[in-house]
Amino acid sequence: MLKHLKLWMLAMAWPALGPAAVENPDGSGNTFLASHIVGKDFLSETIRIGDLNRDGAPDVLFVQDLYGPRLITCLTATTLKGDILWQHGTPSKDNGRAYCDLPVQIYDWDRDGVNEVLYVQQATYLDSPPATAQNIRERAPRYAGSASMVVLDGRTGAEKTRFPLPAPADDSFLFADLTGRGRREDLVVKDRYWNLWGVSHEGKTLWSYAGSVGHYPAVADVDGDGRDEVFVGFALIDHDGRVVFQKDAQGGHQDATFIVKPPDGQWRLLFGNGGIHCLDRTGSILWEHPLGEAQHVVAGHFQTGSPLQFMVVDRTPVPAHRRDANAWAHLYLYGLDGRELWKRQMAKGEWCIATRLIQWLGPGQPDCALVYGFSVERQGPPKPARLYNGQGEILDYFPLPSEPLPGEKDYCSDCYGMAADVWGDSREEVILFGSRGFGVYANARPFERPSLYNMTLYPGE
């Protein structure tokens, strides 16, 4: 029922949301700008997607923060058209940039059929730089009190409850089933790079792990006991905090993780840092390749010749983190056995941030990869995001709809992207966002469906 309502609402609203089609550089009008929001002070480089007002259609949560200290300052819930549902905090055009991932999620936390918004409120940092956007602040020598997980009503933004977290745990979190509930209702929370905690649904700290935790873990029930394990790249942690395996990070950290179980039944645990590494569930290396700075490893069915391949962006090969007009990136596709299938080099000045797996062509069709974040000049709108198929060909381009706020002459809007089926046609749409713009692109190609048969003006069964 909700899906039918969603489809009807979107069909009624979509024609007014944007132009009919967007042309690619080759002149083809294969994409449709279905929604765009520009020139608003609540826009940001961090968003979440979910139904907040319970009308069956997806909504957008824009997350603003104080850049250096990573303090969340404002949450703005809107419809896809940009109509504000509620705001928690005060929006500011200066707080749209994001230094890192922010600890915010949308989830039906209490199983009442309505989504909540969960976010982490920092503890008080002691003996550390003051909380200004110019001061990068990743942890404190000492803390006062604890951090807090704050749970907001998704419909109104009103606070429903909160519970304490370990003081440093304010970088990011994800949901996991650590206690065998049959649903991911527990939490894995982390600080910037050094520690990780398992927290039960009731807010009890179950365990802690100290090591190189990287940017974002991955969770899966690797051992089949009905509870999730947590993979941080250099280690796999069981649901109860026991370390299954741990490797020497040698001062590094992972930039991306991915856990997948291909049709052969053997788990692959992948992570990227100075290279791409593929491990089995015991931590043994199946294959690896040295790279400059591997980011956002994704597994997908990009080619029909085998069940699974892996795509990864290697940013600025040498030296790492160089972001200037001479910087570039590579896009790689690897087979299940680690064999390189192809490599694509970006032009100079194209320092792409990451890849996203997307079902752009629909169910039963090969997966594609969205590559975004080409800005190196950091002035004005970024270069368009691109969609690659399994042959390394560019299918479509997606410019980020953006513009300066009133009174601004120069502006910067890095491009970030994600994929979600917000249209409801079983194909995923491209969602782009930055501090000065937001847009949703749909595939304008006809969506092939099975032929109807035995059609008549007098239906009957």
Side-chain angles (χ1 to χ4, degrees), residues 26 41 126 142 210 265 343 365 382:
D26 63 2
D41 60 0
L126 300 177
R142 296 187 302 123
K343 170 184 176 181
Q365 300 299 312

Side-chain angles (χ1 to χ4, degrees), residues 36-93:
H36 67 283
I37 307 170
V38 297
K40 302 295 184 180
D41 60 0
F42 58 76
L43 293 168
S44 67
E45 293 178 356
T46 301
I47 69 166
R48 302 290 186 254
I49 301 290
D51 183 7
L52 293 173
N53 59 5
R54 211 185 179 190
D55 65 356
D59 301 305
V60 188
L61 183 72
F62 294 91
V63 185
Q64 290 191 332
D65 74 309
L66 197 59
Y67 179 84
R70 303 169 294 115
L71 278 166
I72 293 174
T73 57
C74 185
L75 303 173
T76 302
T78 79
T79 66
L80 283 174
K81 294 190 298 181
D83 298 330
I84 295 178
L85 301 174
W86 52 262
Q87 283 185 323
H88 186 83
T90 303
S92 169
K93 66 179 181 62

